[in-house]
Amino acid sequence: MDAKYLSDAAHFPGGHAAAIAIPQTVAEIPAIVRNARTLLVIGAQSSLTGGATPMGEVVLSTEKLNRILDIGPGFIRVEAGVPVAVMQDALARTGAWFPPAPTFTGAFAGGIVATNAAGAATFRHGAVRRWVQALTVVLADGSELTLRRDELRATEIGVRVPTYRMPDVVKVSAGYFAAPDMDAIDLFIGSEGTLGVITTVTFSTLSPIPTSALAFVPCPSERDALALVGELRHERAVAAIEHVDRRCLEILHEDGADRRCDVRVPAGAELALLVQFELPPGTTQADAFTQIENSLPPNGAATALGRVCRLLHAHGVFDSTEMALPGNTRRAEQLIALREAVPAGVNQRVGRAQQTIDARIAKTAADMIVPFDRFAEMMQIYRDGFASRGLDFAVWGHVSDGNVHPNVIPRSYDDVERGKEAILFFGREAARLGGCPLAEHGVGRNPVKQALLRGLYGDEGIDQMRAVKRALDPGWKLAPGVIFTRHRLGTTDYRQLITD
Ligand SMILES: Cc1cc2nc3c(=O)[nH]c(=O)nc-3n(C[C@H](O)[C@H](O)[C@H](O)COP(=O)(O)OP(=O)(O)OC[C@H]3O[C@@H](n4cnc5c(N)ncnc54)[C@H](O)[C@@H]3O)c2cc1C
């Protein structure tokens, strides 16, 4: 058995499988599902939750289901195993694009639907859910269901809709979707392989493709930076804003990533923003340059890009901003590489600590979102929560959504334990502030994430999810142990669930 199928990007320990099935066509799937005692469907296994790590099930890999079935005005229909990057390339040839692509574009169509993934453009365009027009799903008994948006209610497929209220934020990847009179299609989006095997997907698409540009903006304080973000969020040209905190900047410097990417970070910078622009199609470098020049005092700022530059100027950060103007692919790649060097640097440190200090050390990180107007408060909570436990940490993420990834940089196994405790505390705080402790990666098999889900909806909410699962998969065949356990564990202190 090929060991590559036994783990995912979360490096969840103990992966093992009864068998691996790699169907060549979607027509083979019903029989595979019918014949399996338990089954885990996998995509690119880029899951950060252990949800794509088998624990004794038959693994159903969708890798050969990689056909693009149809592309037309405003839509693309694909098999579940088509990677996002392949979809984008095919769309680009027709002048269209798929906005909510996650950062990892090797993820498959089925995987991004199953986790309700999100990406940088989610700030403007929402998460994957909004872009799903239709799905074909094979249920646990091997029957096939075709779901087109607005055609079938969840109650019509025998499901009692849970009554918990989902957080009102742009990214929620926290168990089953629930809303009064909900569409059946929404049950399967974000269900992490526990309710059915998605075989084909029709996504909405957008055209024309906007011109992109980037700005790297070092800021002297978090307060100034968040004030700036608060204004930039209202600017038409801004597609998304990423942020890295001071510890991230230190890591970039320690690792030489700033020199490698040829980016100057001023010594006093407390935080840096990476602003992504969507400019009108056809905007050239020369156009952008003229717009920037014309935006500076004493001139006005009529254009969308000009208005942004004026804001940068007003906040005193224009001179230290590094831009990648339209067409300057090399500069854009350097700025993106700098942003990507942050998680890489933190993961390397975790790996080193695991090898040299304690083999039990593992990535200890959260993926939480709060409404932007509570974001400054939440950042303080992350910082105080980690600092009061004596932890080294770094925070980065999608600041325009209020969604960040607070990460512990562990120096001992004890740090990992205290980090988990802090994350559970953050989860309660995020929920209190109207946010969601599980924003874009899902729940998977991760005990802390399962505890966060339980903290969010309570025992009753989890029982209602179990009832949905039972209605569609009474034998608990699909992805057992993902999102929640089969049986109620008989405890209301969800901290007791933490075992890894
Ligand atoms: C470097 C990196 C960057 C990332 N960036 C982002 C990001 O920006 N945003 C984001 O949301 N996530 C991100 N992720 C997480 C991950 O890419 C997403 O969760 C992605 O949606 C998973 O897709 P996949 O094809 O790899 O699915 P897998 O990891 O294989 O599976 C994930 C879950 O979906 C289920 N599943 C997979 N295929 C199907 C199917 N056909 N039918 C039913 N269930 C299925 C699996 O059972 C599992 O529970 C990142 C991961 C990495 C490693």
Side-chain angles (χ1 to χ4, degrees):
M1 187 177 298
D2 190 337
K4 81 170 182 178
Y5 297 104
L6 303 182
S7 72
D8 60 26
H11 305 296
F12 196 80
H16 61 289
I20 314 283
I22 310 178
Q24 307 289 314
T25 65
V26 295
E28 296 167 51
I29 293 182
I32 296 171
V33 175
R34 221 175 291 120
N35 293 329
R37 199 176 61 77
T38 57
L39 181 134
L40 183 75
V41 54
I42 56 166
Q45 289 186 297
S46 64
S47 167
L48 295 173
T49 68
T53 300
M55 286 292 156
E57 303 88 8
V58 169
V59 171
L60 193 166
S61 166
T62 51
E63 67 193 301
K64 299 283 189 216
L65 310 176
N66 54 9
R67 279 160 283 252
I68 293 177
L69 302 170
D70 198 5
I71 299 187
F75 79 92
I76 183 168
R77 187 164 163 260
V78 294
E79 290 183 342
V82 175
V84 172
V86 171
M87 219 163 75
Q88 292 289 38
D89 285 349
L91 284 170
R93 288 194 287 276
T94 71
W97 65 303
F98 173 68
T103 314
F104 178 67
T105 56
F108 292 179
I112 65 169
V113 173
T115 55
N116 188 27
T122 288
F123 170 61
R124 276 274 170 261
H125 303 286
V128 163
R129 178 179 307 281
R130 193 201 280 184
W131 295 83
V132 178
Q133 287 183 6
L135 292 179
T136 312
V137 182
V138 173
L139 299 177
D141 62 2
S143 61
E144 241 179 313
L145 190 60
T146 298
L147 298 159
R148 283 179 209 88
R149 196 163 276 292
D150 296 329
E151 272 191 8
L152 197 67
R153 303 288 98 198
T155 46
E156 292 175 73
I157 56 168
V159 164
R160 182 179 295 174
V161 174
T163 55
Y164 46 76
R165 210 169 144 183
M166 296 179 64
D168 185 17
V169 278
V170 291
K171 294 179 178 180
V172 176
S173 187
Y176 301 151
F177 183 91
D181 203 28
M182 67 179 279
D183 196 321
I185 203 169
D186 280 320
L187 259 187
F188 293 89
I189 303 167
S191 66
E192 300 189 44
T194 60
L195 298 181
V197 174
I198 296 160
T199 56
T200 66
V201 189
T202 308
F203 292 112
S204 302
T205 58
L206 260 193
S207 60
I209 305 171
T211 298
S212 56
L214 290 171
F216 178 77
V217 189
C219 299
S221 78
E222 184 175 296
R223 212 174 136 172
D224 292 343
L226 295 188
L228 174 60
V229 172
E231 293 186 58
L232 288 175
R233 287 176 87 246
H234 300 293
E235 290 301 325
R236 191 159 35 95
V238 174
I241 311 169
E242 301 280 300
H243 109 290
V244 299
D245 74 354
R246 189 170 60 80
R247 185 69 179 103
C248 296
L249 292 173
E250 278 170 14
I251 287 169
L252 292 174
H253 194 62
E254 283 164 21
D255 293 351
D258 50 352
R259 288 186 300 284
R260 259 194 328 276
C261 299
D262 195 20
V263 177
R264 198 181 61 84
V265 182
E270 273 288 308
L271 188 152
L273 305 172
L274 185 64
V275 185
Q276 306 185 22
F277 299 103
E278 271 178 25
L279 303 176
T283 306
T284 63
Q285 203 169 116
D287 295 337
F289 196 72
T290 311
Q291 288 179 31
I292 293 169
E293 259 190 350
N294 289 344
S295 72
L296 299 182
N299 298 324
T303 64
L305 183 60
R307 285 172 53 85
V308 170
C309 293
R310 238 181 127 81
L311 274 179
L312 297 178
H313 206 271
H315 283 261
V317 290
F318 182 79
D319 289 341
S320 54
T321 292
E322 305 247 3
M323 298 279 265
L325 294 180
N328 193 344
T329 316
R330 185 176 138 71
R331 195 62 183 141
E333 283 170 358
Q334 284 175 322
L335 296 182
I336 290 167
L338 188 77
R339 160 69 178 82
E340 286 176 1
V342 170
V346 169
N347 294 344
Q348 267 166 23
R349 282 162 176 75
V350 176
R352 262 202 306 273
Q354 190 183 52
Q355 278 163 15
T356 58
I357 302 170
D358 191 323
R360 294 172 300 167
I361 288 177
K363 187 170 167 80
T364 309
D367 163 35
M368 301 194 182
I369 182 166
V370 292
F372 185 76
D373 59 359
R374 309 307 295 269
F375 182 71
E377 209 177 323
M378 193 67 214
M379 277 298 285
Q380 192 63 44
I381 291 168
Y382 295 136
R383 247 194 318 273
D384 291 350
F386 280 143
S388 65
R389 291 171 174 83
L391 296 168
D392 185 12
F393 62 93
V395 183
W396 68 88
H398 320 287
V399 64
S400 43
D401 295 317
N403 167 216
V404 288
H405 305 304
N407 272 244
V408 177
I409 304 174
R411 293 154 302 191
S412 65
Y413 183 62
D414 200 38
D415 279 1
V416 171
E417 289 289 293
R418 274 179 287 132
K420 287 178 186 172
E421 188 189 290
I423 287 169
L424 289 170
F425 168 67
F426 299 156
R428 290 193 290 276
E429 291 294 280
R432 179 179 67 80
L433 297 178
C436 183
L438 299 151
E440 56 178 16
H441 298 155
V443 180
R445 296 193 190 276
N446 183 312
V448 175
K449 290 181 185 289
Q450 293 191 355
L452 288 169
L453 182 69
R454 194 166 174 189
L456 180 66
Y457 292 134
D459 289 347
E460 198 188 332
I462 302 298
D463 285 348
Q464 292 179 348
M465 283 193 208
R466 280 202 192 91
V468 171
K469 166 82 172 159
R470 231 175 277 122
L472 292 176
D473 179 13
W476 223 266
K477 178 187 281 191
L478 303 175
V482 172
I483 300 186
F484 40 59
T485 53
R486 181 171 191 163
H487 302 290
R488 196 163 171 172
L489 294 179
T491 170
T492 48
D493 180 358
Y494 57 88
R495 276 166 302 188
Q496 289 175 25
L497 290 169
I498 301 168
T499 53
D500 80 340

